[in-house]
Amino acid sequence: MHNILTIAWNLIKRMIGRRKGVIAYILMPGVIVSFIIWMTGGTVDHKTNVLYTNLDSGPAGAHVIAELEKTGDYNLIEKKSEDELRAGVLNEEGSAGLGIPAGYTASLLAGQAPPIRIYELKTSEASITLKMKAGEIGDRLRELALAVSAAGTGSAAGKAEAPVAAKTSEAAVSTAPAREARLSTILQLAGQHLVGSEKTDYNLYPRESLSVVTGFMLMFLMAMVTSSVSFVMDDRRQRTMMRIFSAPVRSYEIALGNFLGSFTVGVIQVAAVLLVGRYVLNYNFELPINLYFLILSAFMLVSMGLASTVAGLIRNPNNAGMLNALILTPTCMLGGCFWPISIMPDFMQKAANFVPQKWAIQAADLAATGSGWSELWLPFAVLGLMAAVLLAIGSAILRPNEAAV
């Protein structure tokens, strides 16, 4: 055990024992990866810029704008005229534009269905949701206007018993401001939202951004394996490993020492990424950070086992760069780092069970939905088994008594 710890400590000192190593292997990867995760993961509270112009002088147009603003989904930017609105949409000042025509309130009270115009340079999710929301608000306004008009007509009919048609027409005209005033009162009450709904998220499904963030972090951890392999290759090329083996040190002790040293550095890198992302960039990983740390550390075990195996297979240090092309990229593609596994053919979904990325992403998704160890034990057990098998293979084929080619 003493030999294993000595080899591991020597590798740790070589990698991060100096200030240059701490910056190169801990600080810089932690800051860069956390920043990229923060950028690619995005913020769920991003508001869409929407241009609008309200040419209506009645309460209905103002109600449409107020309701859109209360959703919290839009950053509304006012334009004075429709020409300015069109120019703003063409210049991409906003994702879409909304135009309320003049006389919108009067048309609604007259029983008409005036459209709310939506301007878009290209169809997008923002413009589609804006159309749906504006259409929903417009339908509600038409129903309210019809109800107000019907009540006003009935009241006027009850009072208009004079047989003179001119007086009846004059009374109908005089009720238009009254109907608009009643509609304004109703819309003011409706705008208070005394009766509403509360959305409860039971976390039954993981966020889509979580798979993207986890996949990117797994790629980063796999890329760090190249650094460990390069140190092992240097020991082989400089015959340091042969001199260690000439002492009373067994082959498996050398493999375990390199494995333990690389794993320790990898765990520190994982902690740096999580701490910078959570407490410096204030990014929400959407699951407990300690559990996320365990998942990534378990994946690091497999990565270090893979590093031991590759270090035993590669005899020429110049071929160490083949690790990315032959192992990192294909396994990340197969394991779901770039796209969901569910969209792949059946035979590829079955093959994904043999790569560690699939089980790490599955563990993160289960943890994000509040699953306990009764469900998390399987991905952790698979990752542990993969690490043990790869480490055993690496110890068997390391052959420290052979020099580099």
Side-chain angles (χ1 to χ4, degrees):
M1 187 65 182
H2 176 73
N3 293 333
I4 296 175
L5 294 178
T6 301
I7 295 173
W9 178 243
N10 179 64
L11 181 59
I12 293 172
K13 288 194 299 182
R14 289 166 60 193
M15 293 187 70
I16 60 174
R18 296 177 296 176
R19 182 172 60 182
K20 181 180 179 181
V22 172
I23 295 174
Y25 291 104
I26 303 299
L27 295 181
M28 289 300 293
V31 172
I32 293 174
V33 173
S34 297
F35 181 74
I36 295 176
I37 288 173
W38 178 68
M39 293 294 293
T40 56
T43 55
V44 296
D45 297 329
H46 176 70
K47 291 186 178 182
T48 303
N49 289 334
V50 173
L51 312 179
Y52 79 93
T53 179
N54 181 15
L55 303 179
D56 181 40
S57 58
H63 180 76
V64 173
I65 302 302
E67 289 296 296
L68 289 176
E69 190 172 5
K70 286 179 181 178
T71 62
D73 299 330
Y74 307 107
N75 182 26
L76 298 175
I77 303 173
E78 184 178 7
K79 297 295 181 180
K80 298 300 182 182
S81 64
E82 288 199 18
D83 292 336
E84 289 186 15
L85 180 63
R86 295 191 191 96
V89 173
L90 290 175
N91 294 329
E92 298 188 17
E93 298 178 17
S95 300
L98 180 142
I100 301 175
Y104 181 66
T105 302
S107 299
L108 289 173
L109 291 172
Q112 301 175 5
I116 299 176
R117 302 185 183 93
I118 302 296
Y119 299 90
E120 54 185 349
L121 187 61
K122 55 185 177 181
T123 301
S124 62
E125 181 181 356
S127 63
I128 293 175
T129 55
L130 180 63
K131 282 181 182 178
M132 296 174 60
K133 188 64 179 177
E136 177 186 348
I137 297 173
D139 291 340
R140 274 204 315 267
L141 283 173
R142 280 192 290 272
E143 293 176 0
L144 287 174
L146 288 174
V148 169
S149 298
T153 303
S155 175
K159 296 178 182 179
E161 297 181 356
V164 183
K167 293 183 179 180
T168 304
S169 176
E170 183 179 353
V173 172
S174 66
T175 59
R179 291 201 303 269
E180 186 171 322
R182 284 196 295 271
L183 178 62
S184 177
T185 302
I186 294 173
L187 292 181
Q188 288 178 5
L189 293 174
Q192 296 177 10
H193 293 281
L194 300 177
V195 178
S197 61
E198 180 179 351
K199 181 180 179 181
T200 302
D201 189 357
Y202 292 101
N203 290 325
L204 297 178
Y205 301 96
R207 305 294 190 274
E208 184 178 354
S209 60
L210 178 61
S211 297
V212 176
V213 170
T214 304
F216 187 84
M217 294 188 70
L218 297 182
M219 288 182 58
F220 160 71
L221 296 179
M222 290 285 287
M224 290 297 102
V225 173
T226 307
S227 302
S228 302
V229 173
S230 65
F231 277 92
V232 177
M233 291 295 99
D234 287 341
D235 288 344
R236 190 188 296 277
R237 178 176 56 83
Q238 298 172 4
R239 300 180 183 271
T240 303
M241 193 175 294
M242 292 182 64
R243 291 194 291 271
I244 296 175
F245 188 69
S246 63
V249 179
R250 298 179 181 273
S251 176
Y252 77 88
E253 292 178 325
I254 297 176
L256 282 175
N258 288 320
F259 172 84
L260 182 60
S262 300
F263 175 70
T264 303
V265 175
V267 167
I268 296 174
Q269 291 170 339
V270 171
V273 171
L274 293 179
L275 291 176
V276 172
R278 180 66 184 90
Y279 297 106
V280 177
L281 298 178
N282 199 27
Y283 181 81
N284 183 13
F285 290 103
E286 302 170 2
L287 71 159
I289 192 170
N290 56 344
L291 187 53
Y292 205 17
F293 175 78
L294 289 177
I295 294 171
L296 296 178
S297 298
F299 179 80
M300 178 60 72
L301 276 174
V302 184
S303 299
M304 293 301 106
L306 181 62
S308 300
T309 303
V310 173
L313 290 173
I314 297 177
R315 296 296 181 218
N316 188 347
N318 297 326
N319 295 333
M322 296 171 56
L323 178 65
N324 290 335
L326 297 181
I327 297 179
L328 192 151
T329 303
T331 55
C332 286
M333 294 172 63
L334 191 61
C337 293
F338 300 146
W339 47 70
I341 295 179
S342 58
I343 69 173
M344 298 191 302
D346 291 339
F347 73 94
M348 294 185 67
Q349 294 186 30
K350 294 178 180 178
N353 292 322
F354 296 93
V355 297
Q357 289 91 332
K358 185 257 186 183
W359 296 101
I361 293 176
Q362 179 177 326
D365 290 343
L366 288 173
T369 58
S371 300
W373 286 104
S374 60
E375 296 179 335
L376 286 172
W377 73 269
L378 179 59
F380 273 97
V382 173
L383 290 174
L385 180 61
M386 287 182 175
V389 171
L390 288 172
L391 182 59
I393 295 175
S395 301
I397 65 177
L398 182 61
R399 297 194 293 274
N401 59 321
E402 296 182 7
V405 177

